[in-house]
Every structure is written in structure tokens, then in C-alpha cells.
Amino acid sequence: MAMYVEGGRTVVAAHGDIDVDTEATLRLGLREALDRSITGLDLDMSAVSFCDCSALRVLLELRQQALAQGKTLVLRTASPATERLLTMTGTRCLFTTVQSEALQGDSGSAPHKAESRRPGSCEDRAITDLRAEVEQLRRAMNTRPVIDLARGVLMASFQLSPEEAWGVLVWVSQHTNTKLYQVAEGVLGSVDGHPLCEHMQQQLAAAVAAASLEEDPQLPLVDSANPPDS
């Protein structure tokens, strides 16, 4: 990450991958740059090759900090990866339209423009949607290791492929109205001597039999990289 001063603003250029591994470094660098700036930050993200919700979380946090300091955060340029993330999450306007209008107005009216937003505006909807997405991502990160362990138990116990074991977990989840991670916890618990309830045992047996025989067309084909609500 490189930065330089241009007028009363600090220009920050990010590059490479921005994900959960680099999130902390990005947050620290941008916070320091914001504190040292006079009117705010201009971001150059044209060299960012990959970014996920971790990057978006940092940008939204930084935007709130900038507004609290009477400053602005503007996205000057964006790579295709950055553009796609902002467009998909509906947050593009937070770093272009709203901020640019504040910068282009009179210095005395800029804070008013940045802060005056109507209920139900693009900003409100975007923040609400983002909070829901971040919560889903956090839940997935917390439950995925348990699900992967349970899948490994099924693979070892019933000689299933990774895809078949995943399908079995999803089947049991859907047919017992139980969240996926709870099914996974039940499978792991059974290894430690805590048997599944009768209904879940029946569905697990049916799903394993269907997967082994490859005869049941209703066995769900689900992408394990994009699991249902866990």
C-alpha cells in the first residue's frame, strides 16, 4: 500500500489481494492515513486483483470514521474485482456519488451534504444489506469447520466421496428441518457416543443408502462452496 499527499487530501493506492488474511493490515494503514489527512482519503484500488467482504467491511468502517471526523472517503479508481464487489453489494454509491457530491460542493456545505440522507436511501439499504451479508459470512466461517469434519466422518464411515458426504448432510438437514451445522454436530457427537435422535438416524441411513446406490434422483446436488443456510 502506497500513499502520498495531494492538496488537503491523502491518496492511498492498494494492490494485490484483499481478504481475511490482509484485512487487519489494510485497516491499520487506512486508519493511520485518515488520521493524518486534512480533508479525507482518495482510494486508488485499480491494482487490487482480488477482494471479498473483508475489504468491504474495512471500507465501510473507514467511511464511518471519516464522517465522524468531518472528512470524506472517495474511491477514485477501482479494479474489476473491486467494482464487482461494490456493485453486487449495492454499495457503489457510498464511495462515489454521495462522496463526490460532497467534495464538489462548497466547503461549508460539504459536511451537510455528507450527513443529510433520507431514510430508505441507497446508503440505508446498502448498510442493512451489508450487515446481513457480513453476519452470514461470520456464521459460515464459524460453522464450516464442524461441517467439514462431519463430512470426513461420513466419508470414512461409509466410503462416500466428498460430494456424496456433502449431499447426505444436506439431505438430513432438509428432511429433518435442522440447520446444517446442527446435523454436523450430531454426526460428530455420535462418534463420541451420543447417538442421533431416531428421526435423524432414519434420514441419515436413507441418505447414505441413496448415495451408495446412486439410485435416488432426489438426493440434493448442492455446491459445497455455496452451502445453504447453515
Side-chain angles (χ1 to χ4, degrees):
M1 186 167 58
M3 63 184 71
Y4 59 91
V5 177
E6 187 175 280
R9 301 185 65 77
T10 300
V11 180
V12 180
H15 59 84
D17 293 351
I18 302 178
D19 52 23
V20 68
D21 294 326
T22 58
E23 176 183 357
T25 301
L26 177 67
R27 178 182 288 106
L28 179 60
L30 290 179
R31 282 181 177 176
E32 292 179 351
L34 178 64
D35 291 339
R36 295 174 182 175
S37 69
I38 298 176
T39 61
L41 301 184
D42 288 353
L43 299 183
D44 176 2
M45 301 184 69
S46 58
V48 173
S49 53
F50 172 83
C51 61
D52 58 13
C53 288
S54 302
L56 186 56
R57 182 165 53 243
V58 172
L59 292 179
L60 287 173
E61 290 175 358
L62 189 72
R63 182 179 183 278
Q64 292 300 317
Q65 293 167 7
L67 290 176
Q69 297 177 21
K71 302 176 182 179
T72 54
L73 178 65
V74 177
L75 180 62
R76 280 193 176 185
T77 54
S79 66
T82 306
E83 192 72 47
R84 182 167 55 252
L85 175 65
L86 296 178
T87 300
M88 290 179 62
T89 56
T91 55
R92 190 69 172 89
C93 61
L94 301 184
F95 305 101
T96 53
T97 307
V98 175
Q99 299 287 6
S100 297
E101 288 177 356
L103 285 176
Q104 292 171 1
D106 296 334
S107 59
S109 60
H112 174 72
K113 288 184 178 181
E115 293 173 3
S116 60
R117 55 187 176 87
R118 295 169 307 194
S121 65
C122 169
E123 182 174 349
D124 289 325
R125 294 193 300 271
I127 291 176
T128 299
D129 292 343
L130 179 68
R131 284 174 178 169
E133 183 177 352
V134 169
E135 181 58 31
Q136 291 173 356
L137 179 62
R138 184 181 296 112
R139 184 167 62 246
M141 292 176 65
N142 290 336
T143 60
R144 190 55 185 262
V146 175
I147 295 173
D148 286 341
L149 283 173
R151 185 163 59 163
V153 169
L154 293 176
M155 291 166 58
S157 300
F158 302 104
Q159 290 74 53
L160 301 176
S161 68
E163 293 75 17
E164 289 170 342
W166 177 260
V168 166
L169 289 174
V170 175
W171 167 281
V172 176
S173 173
Q174 292 175 347
H175 286 74
T176 61
N177 194 27
T178 307
K179 290 195 174 290
L180 192 61
Y181 81 91
Q182 292 176 331
V183 174
E185 287 178 337
V187 171
L188 295 179
S190 66
V191 176
D192 295 329
H194 304 287
L196 298 168
C197 67
E198 183 177 355
H199 181 48
M200 192 172 291
Q201 285 181 5
Q202 293 173 349
Q203 293 300 329
L204 180 63
V208 169
S212 300
L213 297 174
E214 297 183 352
E215 290 180 353
D216 192 339
Q218 295 182 345
L219 190 64
L221 298 176
V222 180
D223 181 4
S224 61
N226 297 284
D229 182 14
S230 58

